[in-house]
Amino acid sequence: MQTQPSEIQYLRQQLTEFLRVRHLRKTPERFAILDKAVELSAHFGVDQLYNAMETEGYHVSRATVYNTLELLCEAGILNRHLFATNQARYEVARGSHLHLICRRCGKIREVDDPTLTERLLSETYDGFRPEYSSSIVYGLCDSCSSPL
């Protein structure tokens, strides 16, 4: 999914406001990490983001990348997922959707299912208020399920 210029501007404003309210510093590193996370688009890990920044000559520690990703999750800008690998994967928070994950090749595909999303988010849970949902369906993609 391509990012529109207005989306990155909106996300930068959202981060600026989050940092202001929490009395946290507005460092260039935090905004560079946000920009790269949006550019990577979907389902990236800490190492992938770190390596992408290093490749472009932007040197920042892995700890800074990790801490900033957690901060972006707290701000509601990114969502963190733990798929079968138990390694955190991140994506820009663009609403609820299903993740279809191939057990063989690991490819992740997103599918919108408004009916399921509405049902999950409208449920009442004792002492819990849902904000977004992410459902995971494991199986085999067309490439992996077709005979060789």
Side-chain angles (χ1 to χ4, degrees), residues 12-60:
R12 285 174 142 264
Q13 290 171 350
Q14 189 177 344
L15 177 57
T16 298
E17 181 62 14
F18 178 82
L19 296 171
R20 185 190 68 74
V21 168
R22 296 250 179 353
H23 305 289
L24 299 171
R25 295 180 307 136
K26 298 175 192 87
T27 66
E29 292 82 8
R30 288 176 172 163
F31 288 92
I33 291 168
L34 168 62
D35 292 346
K36 184 54 68 179
V38 172
E39 182 183 312
L40 290 175
S41 190
H43 312 115
F44 60 89
V46 173
D47 289 338
Q48 184 182 358
L49 180 70
Y50 172 81
N51 292 334
M53 295 189 75
E54 282 290 315
T55 299
E56 291 185 9
Y58 199 102
H59 303 293
V60 63

Side-chain angles (χ1 to χ4, degrees), residues 44-141:
F44 60 89
V46 173
D47 289 338
Q48 184 182 358
L49 180 70
Y50 172 81
N51 292 334
M53 295 189 75
E54 282 290 315
T55 299
E56 291 185 9
Y58 199 102
H59 303 293
V60 63
S61 72
R62 285 183 198 276
T64 298
V65 170
Y66 178 79
N67 291 333
T68 302
L69 289 174
E70 293 304 308
L71 187 78
L72 294 171
C73 288
E74 190 179 334
I77 295 170
L78 297 181
N79 290 333
R80 180 187 339 96
H81 301 286
L82 289 174
F83 297 131
T85 62
N86 286 329
Q87 292 181 345
R89 306 280 285 190
Y90 300 87
E91 68 178 339
V92 176
R94 291 187 177 114
S96 300
H97 50 267
L98 296 171
H99 292 99
L100 307 179
I101 302 176
C102 180
R103 290 184 303 106
R104 190 165 294 151
C105 70
K107 181 179 175 184
I108 302 169
R109 191 173 114 207
E110 294 180 355
V111 176
D112 290 327
D113 186 336
T115 305
L116 180 60
T117 297
E118 183 179 333
R119 182 166 179 224
L120 288 170
L121 295 177
S122 66
E123 286 290 320
T124 55
Y125 304 96
D126 190 31
F128 184 81
R129 182 180 53 87
E131 293 178 347
Y132 75 95
S133 70
S134 170
S135 298
I136 303 171
V137 179
Y138 293 96
L140 294 175
C141 69

